[in-house]
Amino acid sequence: MVASSLNVAFSIDALCDKQKLGSDMALGYSETFLGNGLVIPMPRPVNQDLIGQILRRDELDEGIYSHHPNFTLMMNEKHKQLVFAAHNIDQAAYQPGDRSGSWKNDDAVGAENQVDEAFYDDDLYNYGRLEENLFDKGHMVPFANARHGPDQSSAMTAAKSTYVWSNCTLQHRNLNESEWAYLERYIVRPLKLDSNDKLCVFSGPIWGALDREIHISSRTDTARAPAGFFKVVCFHLAEPVNGSHLGVLAFAIFQDKEVLRAKAGGAVVKTDRKYQITIAQLQGLTGLDFGSEIADANPMIFKPSTARRVNPRAHTPEVMPIGNASDVMTRLDSPRSGQQDLAKRDVSIFSAMIRPRSPETGKEWVSLLNRTEAEVDLTGWVLRGKDGRKAVLSGPLSPGRMRMISGSEMGTLRLGNYGGDLILRTAQGVIVDHVTWTRKSLLEVKPGISYEFEIGR
């Protein structure tokens, strides 16, 4: 029985054929959705601790799956949040409509097995004191990406079905409103790498021993905020790679870097930043097995090998920060830019004047810090934001000194008051440093005061 072994090898398509919501809308994830002979099964828990935490109920399909229009959820009984969400997206069938709907319990999951509205309130009572809640409702199957179907009514039904607490997890507001939203809206939703406008997407939390605990004085229970989140996108390629038409992209975003260090062998990342990673790393972080076919189709390199070492300069395992869609590695033979270890990087983005006193025109600047005892030649280096605007640098940066990039040297670069990011690359395209900021974090700094970024980690 799958509820005990979780050795899942069944197809949900038979169930979908029986339970239609509209002419082309099925209840639950379909593993044959991409067509063209491709089969994309849902990930399978392989970590023994995770297997022991899977919610099992008679009301769930196969004892473990909760089905909704075009998506399926697996729940973690211990955390009362998702293990993963599996979602089919038809890009050609997106329909217009305002974001609306009310949150409710997932009946199949059971109210007692879901983190409810109280933990997502704007304010929380913590040990008798009213405190601001920094965590938002993190949609794993997002409303906008679910708003597709044969007609507007069906699409809105599907979108509104995402408003169940089982499809929600505690996501820091900076992440929810910035990097995670950008990943969903500007990379996944308009993806153009596929041949038929169809995507299979897996999303979910990354748990760790140091996850944040959310406490409400009036409640005896608590809720856990995950260390981060993942998203895997699968699609059909028009042109095969190594004989396969399967395309795969895998991303991770972290809201607790200490947990990541513990789980990723000391890897250094920054919070509020999206990364493209390997499937092997994702399995280590989540305890989920996505299958060898998906792992092999992912263009990121996990370890050096004769077969996959298309560029000897690539550091493995690859973890690439993503500013915008142009940074995404789409093929194994994509040019590799390389990445310096952030703890050992020679130059860091130290601070920026993002909100000068009005009028702002011409007053923005970015400072770079040379962390070494040798001079660094910045000629040909590029500072670029997610909107593609950039500053091309030149000249030396003295040892141990900072240099302000300002005025005409800023080029077309603009620093967004509503959130933004910067990636610093050498003339050869190697990523040296990367930083992000959000509107809410920026509001903590008065106009005319520079915004400082973390360094040395």
Side-chain angles (χ1 to χ4, degrees):
M1 178 67 179
V2 71
S4 59
S5 68
L6 284 172
N7 223 353
V8 181
F10 87 105
S11 170
I12 198 174
D13 294 312
L15 175 72
C16 295
D17 289 339
K18 297 176 183 178
Q19 297 176 295
K20 297 284 184 177
L21 298 184
S23 58
D24 292 312
M25 288 187 65
L27 188 65
Y29 172 83
S30 169
E31 61 182 20
T32 59
F33 183 75
L34 298 184
N36 301 290
L38 291 178
V39 177
I40 312 298
M42 289 186 282
R44 181 170 59 92
V46 291
N47 178 279
Q48 290 303 309
D49 288 339
L50 176 60
I51 290 174
Q53 295 171 15
I54 303 301
L55 176 68
R56 297 169 175 83
R57 297 186 86 218
D58 292 340
E59 293 86 348
L60 298 170
D61 185 49
E62 297 285 329
I64 55 176
Y65 296 112
S66 175
H67 301 307
H68 303 267
N70 293 328
F71 72 94
T72 292
L73 307 175
M74 178 185 284
M75 297 296 293
N76 186 309
E77 184 176 20
K78 176 182 177 181
H79 299 304
K80 300 183 180 181
Q81 295 170 69
L82 299 94
V83 174
F84 68 81
H87 183 206
N88 300 129
I89 297 179
D90 187 346
Q91 296 170 299
Y94 281 126
Q95 302 288 346
D98 295 333
R99 179 164 181 162
S100 61
S102 57
W103 289 88
K104 60 183 180 180
N105 285 319
D106 185 333
D107 292 337
V109 170
E112 71 278 11
N113 298 308
Q114 301 162 75
V115 172
D116 60 29
E117 184 174 12
F119 290 95
Y120 297 101
D121 288 342
D122 290 337
D123 296 303
L124 300 174
Y125 276 98
N126 192 6
Y127 300 102
R129 295 184 303 173
L130 193 63
E131 295 183 354
E132 181 183 15
N133 187 4
L134 299 179
F135 291 91
D136 285 346
K137 304 178 185 73
H139 256 105
M140 290 296 100
V141 177
F143 180 95
N145 288 16
R147 196 175 56 206
H148 57 90
D151 51 58
Q152 186 181 35
S153 176
S154 297
M156 289 303 294
T157 296
K160 289 181 179 181
S161 72
T162 65
Y163 283 114
V164 285
W165 296 116
S166 54
N167 183 41
C168 187
T169 186
L170 289 153
Q171 192 170 66
H172 196 284
R173 62 175 54 170
N174 287 351
L175 202 70
N176 182 261
E177 299 172 13
S178 181
E179 294 301 310
W180 185 255
Y182 188 92
L183 174 63
E184 292 177 333
R185 294 172 188 169
Y186 301 111
I187 294 181
V188 176
R189 190 170 190 267
L191 190 75
K192 301 299 182 186
L193 300 171
D194 56 278
S195 67
N196 59 0
D197 290 327
K198 293 187 176 181
L199 309 177
C200 289
V201 181
F202 306 119
S203 300
I206 296 171
W207 298 101
L210 301 177
D211 301 328
R212 311 289 179 82
E213 186 172 67
I214 311 302
H215 175 79
I216 302 178
S217 298
S218 60
R219 300 278 291 264
T220 58
D221 58 335
T222 59
R224 306 286 284 184
F229 307 88
F230 71 87
K231 196 173 288 288
V232 177
V233 186
C234 302
F235 47 92
H236 179 268
L237 290 166
E239 298 295 330
V241 176
N242 295 335
S244 173
H245 282 272
L246 176 60
V248 173
L249 302 176
F251 303 96
I253 298 180
F254 302 97
Q255 59 186 12
D256 195 330
K257 57 182 173 290
E258 296 300 331
V259 171
L260 180 68
R261 286 194 184 117
K263 299 192 74 172
V268 179
V269 301
K270 296 185 177 183
T271 55
D272 293 351
R273 161 66 75 186
K274 51 191 176 293
Y275 294 85
Q276 190 177 3
I277 66 173
T278 71
I279 294 295
Q281 288 169 291
L282 192 54
Q283 177 172 319
L285 290 167
T286 63
L288 295 171
D289 183 2
F290 291 84
S292 59
E293 188 174 3
I294 289 178
D296 290 342
N298 180 33
M300 304 297 285
I301 302 173
F302 179 64
K303 61 182 179 180
S305 69
T306 303
R308 291 180 62 84
R309 191 188 299 162
V310 294
N311 187 329
R313 290 184 61 251
H315 297 284
T316 55
E318 288 188 315
V319 179
M320 299 299 295
I322 303 300
N324 59 27
S326 66
D327 293 323
V328 176
M329 294 284 186
T330 60
R331 299 171 62 95
L332 183 60
D333 56 2
S334 298
R336 256 56 186 182
S337 66
Q339 181 184 355
Q340 294 184 0
D341 186 322
L342 292 177
K344 301 176 182 177
R345 63 199 186 280
D346 294 343
V347 177
S348 66
I349 304 172
F350 183 80
S351 63
M353 179 57 69
I354 303 173
R355 297 175 64 211
R357 291 190 178 91
S358 184
E360 295 188 6
T361 305
K363 295 182 180 180
E364 294 180 339
W365 53 259
V366 179
S367 69
L368 305 179
L369 172 65
N370 182 351
R371 303 175 66 218
T372 76
E373 57 185 15
E375 184 176 274
V376 176
D377 184 5
L378 300 181
T379 301
W381 288 35
V382 175
L383 261 175
R384 197 204 66 196
K386 70 172 61 174
D387 58 3
R389 294 173 179 267
K390 63 183 180 181
V392 180
L393 312 181
S394 63
L397 178 53
S398 300
R401 297 296 183 90
M402 282 195 292
R403 176 171 157 187
M404 183 183 296
I405 310 300
S406 61
S408 61
E409 198 173 13
M410 286 285 284
T412 61
L413 186 64
R414 298 293 180 270
L415 308 178
N417 289 351
Y418 293 90
D421 73 358
L422 292 172
I423 292 183
L424 177 64
R425 296 179 185 265
T426 68
Q428 292 73 39
V430 176
I431 297 174
V432 178
D433 197 10
H434 51 97
V435 296
T436 66
W437 63 93
T438 65
R439 179 176 180 272
K440 288 186 181 295
S441 62
L442 194 61
L443 290 175
E444 298 174 4
V445 179
K446 295 179 181 180
I449 302 296
S450 66
Y451 188 95
E452 293 192 1
F453 304 102
E454 288 186 343
I455 64 170
R457 44 171 140 169

